[in-house]
Amino acid sequence: MTDALDYAFRKLRKVSDDAIASLDETNIAQIKFSNNKVSTTQRWIASHITIFASIKNRTVSTIVSPEKKPIDKSIGRIVKFASSLAKNEDYHGIARGPFTYGKSQIFDKKLSKMDMADAVEASINEATTNGALRCSGVFEKEVLKITLKSTGGIDTRDEMTRAYFSIRSFSSKDASGHSVSASRNLKGLDFRKAAIESSTIALLARNPSTLEEGTYDIFFEHLPSANILENASNSSSMFNVEAGLSFFIGSLGKKVGSESLTMVDDATADWGINSRRFDEEGVPCKKTEIIKKGVLKTYLHNTSTASKYKTKTTANAGILAPRAINPVVEKGNFNKEEMLGKIKKGLIVTNLWYTRFQNQASGDFSTIPRDGIFLVENGRIKKPVKGIRINDNMLRMLRNITSASNEQRQIVGWEIESPITVPQILVRKVPITKSTE
Amino acid sequence: MEDLADYAIELASRKGAAFADARYEKKLYNGFLLKNGIVQSSAFEEFEGIGVRVNINGTVGFACTNTLSRIGIKKAVEFAIRDSKAISGLNNGVFLRKSSPAISKYSVKEKIKIEEVGSDQHITCLFDIEKALLSTGVKVPFRYLYLSDSVDEKYYCNSEGSKVTSIVPRVNFYYFITIASRGKTAQRYWQYGKAGGFEAVTEFGFPETLSNDVLSMKKNIEHAVKPPREKTDVIVAPQITGIMVHESGGHPYEADRILGREAAQAGESFITPDLVRSRIGSDAVNISDDPTIPNSFGFYLYDDEGVKAQRKQLVKNGIISNFLHNRETASVFNIDSNASGRTTGFDREPIVRMSNTFIEPGDQTEEELIEDVKKGVYIKTFTEWNIDDKRENQKYVGAEAYMIEEGRILGPVSKPTIEITTNALYSSIDAVANNTEYHAGTCGKGEPMQALPVWFGGPSMRIRGIRLR
């Protein structure tokens, strides 16, 4: 396969001023289960070359199969495409290497060879023994090899394994709980904990009541905490700032959250499910402080956006759009019980769903708690509730984080496409509404 | 490549699959982005490969590859069989529903062939919209305009002898803009799409449409009043009808949700199998899904399981009448599939999906619906929306909206918000107009995510006596 990459790169550099070619070789296996049985097995065996080229500041990207004929065709098309494009005035070059890279990512042979069906069966048994009537979810594992070359003098590769397990348990039609586990290696996957946690929430959520509208202090478990804080991570991309897709526009150096909020992007952490040795233009990944004690310290850049704004790349390419690779929100000093103890009247939210913005620049949004929701009075769970919606503003919410827990977790989920590591958070005065019947 | 797909079936059958199908797909794609008047990196792609599915021992196994050789196909088939056999202790006993063998070739005509349109023509279209936006005189600080097109060539075959070839070109435009006035901002986004050639870009009339959008949003920012607090009548225009019917009139009728197959992802449904023939709305509510509408964004004549497409009526005169099925859910219900199995490409399994979902029109005009409102609100477009994962509690926030008094449209209203249960919504519709429009969307479902082109739509509807926020 690397022969095909070499071939593509040789041809590409003849026609481009700047070029990056990256070969991805993947083998992904997935078991999807529902109602305690397997719905389907899925397998993806794929290899492709992602190409970026700049010809006289006309920029083009494409993906091609690693074979001579399609490569020839694509490179011919890149030239034709670029010849009739306008200049990309936002393009300011790619990284110039060579660079020295850190160690390779985790490649766990045990994970790549494990029996997935056994793990799924054991998890279902664990959840049902704990009282769940039925469970659904997925277990997915991936082996990924990346080889990257660029006209910036970069020639590097990486190899990794990663896996993700998601389980949603039901104890009745109205009562469910969800939990996930993600890791680079088999040792880090905690199937049992996820199964127990999802089924325990489902059991506690039985016979939910309705709730009065109003403002409530909310303790967000890891899944919903990730859902909220992923938006802060996305808002830090310079591309999103320029497009009006960020609530951090004009906020550099300003307070965007409470003292309890510190977020870094640490793609060097080898346990990060998306961590890499290098970003998509081959710059060695690093640790970048995005928010420190509530103050926005930087936007995330690739070489091009950094040059435009006269700063340095944060090693977060995306060629088109810089993005966080392994965002991590710092943990706090409190355990869950201590945080719940601060709630006079509030809620525990265990999952969120369908978060949508009315205005991404102002941060106005709403989202729907899903799975177990619990009314808390004087630090104790009073009863499960249902049918509510959070209507708030993201900046107000970040500023109203009163504390973060001392337990961080890496969250990957159907609603959380960019993995993020978060603690549980307590947010005060969150507006709650419900539907008219 | 047909021979490779045929080989996959032959091999899978030889290795013991009770049913096998294969899909070769080649998708040519072009994408162009203009951000704040600057051309960004443009993209094209030729996405090609084969997906194969086997039904063996009551389990469905899927594998795909972009290595288009007999060795690549053999490896994919062997993985599909090996993976599905490995879970035999947990198999759900599903046998994909049989169907008559289908032999067909079809394509959607292009007046202007996408393959012959240069990148300069795409960029010119985007600059025309940019110029129109700037010429309104309205402050639009952020302008994100994205134009893409694709040609999707498929060959489907299965162990029943089906062989279906199709070519469907599509054009797609998405915009996201921020309008600023008097220290406030509003954001608008919308999507346009249809099956056909590049001629669609001209037919949509984007420069005028977006200019009007910007002017009305400026007026709304500057002059809108709060919506009435008391219960009121609401007329929703086709854009809102469309999103409502998609979210709470289409998704809950997907049989895989009803059976819990998507429980850990896109969720389930408040509908249970025994609710067929139960009342869900007023007599005025008729909901259908029809993939055969010519040039529709969700167009197909055979689904991705080789079953002949058909119009499905989901709700008739307010009564639940049908669900959407693929071969798997049809097998559980012991009925025939109604051809709702769709995928985004060769690398995804076919799951139950909508195509073009709509409220069927009535006899009255929109004006007649408005005339019969003493005091109310007319909502023309919307912004934020969401719905819970059982499709019971939904929210739609109006963007362009106006007060109605004594049957007349008056000044703008600020963000009238409908937050209502599905039962209350469909029971409160007392009349639908005859001004059907279809709108394009990209619907997400499945794991990994499958984002599919759909239309949703219908006519304006009158919703009596509901509370707005």
Side-chain angles (χ1 to χ4, degrees), chain A residues 171-172 174-176 200-208 371-374 384:
Chain A
S171 62
S172 73
D174 260 347
S176 56
T200 301
I201 295 169
L203 286 176
L204 287 170
R206 280 180 300 184
N207 305 315
D371 302 308
I373 314 162
F374 305 100

Side-chain angles (χ1 to χ4, degrees), chain A residues 178-180 193 197 200-201 204 218-229 335-337 339-340 343 347-352 370-374 376 381 405 407-409 411 416 422-427:
Chain A
H178 202 142
S179 187
V180 297
K193 187 174 179 182
E197 193 168 77
T200 301
I201 295 169
L204 287 170
I218 298 184
F219 175 83
F220 291 98
E221 291 282 7
H222 292 96
L223 265 172
S225 172
N227 192 306
I228 292 162
L229 294 168
N335 63 34
K336 182 175 173 177
E337 285 66 36
M339 289 168 77
L340 291 181
I343 299 176
L347 298 169
I348 297 173
V349 168
T350 65
N351 201 0
L352 289 174
R370 152 169 161 169
D371 302 308
I373 314 162
F374 305 100
V376 175
I381 291 178
S405 80
E407 187 199 347
Q408 282 171 313
R409 240 195 249 184
I411 299 295
I416 299 145
V422 293
Q424 296 134 309
I425 53 173
L426 179 60
V427 183

